[in-house]
Amino acid sequence: MRGSRVLVSGACFAFLCAISLGGGSTSAQPEDSAARVIVPRSGIADDGAMVYRAAGGGTAYPTAFGAESGVAAETVAVANVNVIGKADLTTQGTIGGLQVKTCNPGKQAPQNEFSVAVNPANPLNLVAGANDYRLYESSENRYDGSGGFYRSIDGGKKWTAGYLPGLVRGNSVAPGIYQSAGDPAVAAGPNNVFWYANIVFNRPPGARPAARPTEEANGIAVSRSSDGGATWVTSFVDQSPAGGTVFNDKEWIAAHPKNPLVAYVTWTKFTGGSSRLVYSGTTNGGSTWTAAAPITSRASNQGSVGWVGADGRLHVVWETYGFSRNSVAYAVRSGSKFGATRLLATIDDVPSPFEWAGSTGFRTNSFPAFALDGSILHVVWPNSNGVDADVLYICSTDAGSTWSTPVAIVDDLSDQFFPWVAARDGVVAVSYLDHNGETGSSYHASMVTSADGGATWSMPIRLSTKSSDPSAGNLFKYPDCIPSFIGDYTGIALGADRRAHPFWMDIRVGNSPGDPVSRADQDPYTASVVISQ
């Protein structure tokens, strides 16, 4: 059945000649009224496990030319780099005579959920971010997220690790006021500027009630570096006090490609029964931020990603939830406000968790990933075809005015999930986690590429030299202690030298050498892959 799919040449360009603003599945669609759906919140804020949707059925889409179905990923000799390496920390079971609330004594601390950006003027300079659990928070008596950053000045061969200042209390060098930070988002601007956004929050003192009547203090923070990621200054975009009903979640950062002082943050405001999408901007390097303003009138949204074009317009893509369908949504800010929300494609959410994940039960999602290359917009997301999960792709070659119809650029056997996309100078790279050819709850990282702006695609390339097994890695949700969280997304960046730098959560044996049980933990891994013509 899978082998019977039609191969479609020109995944991006061939469709656009037949599509207009008023026709096809890419036209603006009427908005549903407020939907009674469960919109997933940040995994780091919820300590991992949250089964928020199970896929029921799905749609099989045409397969992009070159991405033939039913084939195993081609194994390519590519060096894997453990980004955290010796800078990782072994979790202690007892500190100051007090038994720590940890599920992982003797195992190295986890890092998951990655974002990476490359200096547009210097392809050797990269900065990445993660949910990094190396810092101990005494008020919680546990290790918690800290806003870890990783910097390379040699194209990703070697990395230094540090913590962003002013975020969390556990950072003794530059402490903040919050217990935890997470949902990393990194973007690169001109003049060696990097921006790094996080959610910051305190946790409830006991078990959080399912109804969440009030929230602890939380907010959106942005750190900025003007020296290629060596040093950082942190500011706060939005802060909500304890006892309120607002939780700020799943932010993203978009850097202006020409002005190093301009950036925008998009995020979801959970309040009551809604999850509104908002944004804020700065024109002075983060010294001040505008008040949060709406992106869309839709009530249920999550997983926004933004990019700023050379003309200064802010493009945003996200998943929006409705009674009859979930969709890839898109809006663009021209002037002082966003235009109408457009629904670009239906999303058939992948199961969360996958059946093969077994007792690990790690959560997944179908949030879209988005990259901008001049006037070309590239969007990917994981989608259930009724049998397994594929990576779907759409694009626009006219700055978002018209869009292609979806095609599967990865539809190998079993499930592909957590894709991310990078694009530059006509080159497109999509990395993702892949269960193809694996047993049990294991996965590996793979990648597909296009050298012609998304018109044709390579066969899948396996990136990981070893498989990852979440059941052997770090445990979450103390005192339940289950391997329920590996993050909510991966990352990839593409430099001017045509080198792609995918980042993935790697849980191979050997990551935690002192661990007496499995010797495996969640570490940030990357590779450097040259995309040839």
Side-chain angles (χ1 to χ4, degrees), residues 417-483:
F417 58 107
F418 289 159
W420 209 260
V421 60
R424 180 177 177 132
D425 301 329
V427 176
V428 191
V430 177
S431 57
Y432 53 94
L433 301 186
D434 195 350
H435 187 59
N436 188 26
E438 299 285 356
T439 59
S441 61
S442 293
Y443 65 82
H444 58 269
S446 295
M447 183 173 75
V448 293
T449 64
S450 173
D452 52 16
T456 59
W457 291 85
S458 71
M459 297 287 285
I461 300 166
R462 175 166 175 154
L463 298 169
S464 308
T465 55
K466 293 183 180 180
S467 297
S468 292
D469 181 3
S471 67
N474 304 89
L475 306 179
F476 293 84
K477 284 190 72 68
Y478 179 89
D480 297 335
C481 295
I482 54 177

Side-chain angles (χ1 to χ4, degrees), residues 390-422:
D390 300 331
V391 177
L392 298 190
Y393 167 79
I394 57 175
C395 74
S396 171
T397 60
D398 53 13
S401 294
T402 58
W403 290 82
S404 65
T405 54
V407 293
I409 56 172
V410 184
D411 74 340
D412 288 346
L413 300 176
S414 194
D415 296 299
Q416 290 78 47
F417 58 107
F418 289 159
W420 209 260
V421 60

Side-chain angles (χ1 to χ4, degrees), residues 300-319:
S300 299
N301 312 276
Q302 184 60 301
S304 63
V305 180
W307 280 84
V308 181
D311 58 1
R313 296 198 302 165
L314 173 60
H315 303 260
V316 183
V317 172
W318 70 96
E319 182 172 9

Side-chain angles (χ1 to χ4, degrees), residues 170-186:
N171 184 348
S172 59
V173 176
I177 63 173
Y178 295 95
Q179 292 175 329
S180 187
D183 287 356
V186 182

Side-chain angles (χ1 to χ4, degrees), residues 39 268-276 299-301:
V39 180
T268 305
K269 271 188 175 291
F270 281 89
T271 178
S274 69
S275 50
R276 301 283 182 178
S300 299
N301 312 276

Side-chain angles (χ1 to χ4, degrees), residues 81-251:
V81 177
N82 186 335
V83 173
I84 190 74
K86 294 181 179 180
D88 211 345
L89 173 142
T90 299
T91 301
Q92 303 299 307
T94 302
I95 295 179
L98 186 66
Q99 184 176 344
V100 178
K101 295 178 180 178
T102 178
C103 297
N104 305 287
K107 186 186 289 290
Q108 289 188 348
Q111 296 83 36
N112 54 46
E113 206 166 273
F114 306 123
S115 177
V116 59
V118 59
N119 189 327
N122 178 8
L124 299 180
N125 180 201
L126 298 104
V127 172
N131 293 338
D132 190 326
Y133 296 82
R134 287 178 295 159
L135 291 183
Y136 171 74
E137 173 49 50
S138 60
S139 67
E140 300 179 82
N141 186 29
R142 59 173 280 178
Y143 294 88
D144 212 338
S146 59
F149 75 89
Y150 319 96
R151 178 177 183 254
S152 176
I153 56 174
D154 63 1
K157 297 176 184 177
K158 297 179 181 179
W159 296 79
T160 55
Y163 306 106
L164 296 175
L167 296 183
V168 297
R169 304 171 190 170
N171 184 348
S172 59
V173 176
I177 63 173
Y178 295 95
Q179 292 175 329
S180 187
D183 287 356
V186 182
N191 298 1
N192 299 315
V193 166
F194 283 90
W195 303 82
Y196 184 166
N198 280 276
I199 63 170
V200 287
F201 57 95
N202 293 337
R203 297 186 186 273
R208 183 190 291 273
R212 305 179 190 274
T214 62
E215 300 288 350
E216 299 299 315
N218 67 92
I220 303 294
V222 171
S223 304
R224 181 180 182 269
S225 172
S226 58
D227 55 9
T231 60
W232 298 85
V233 175
T234 295
S235 61
F236 291 95
V237 178
D238 198 343
Q239 292 175 287
S240 297
T245 59
V246 174
F247 187 81
N248 298 283
D249 194 30
K250 275 286 184 292
E251 90 305 329

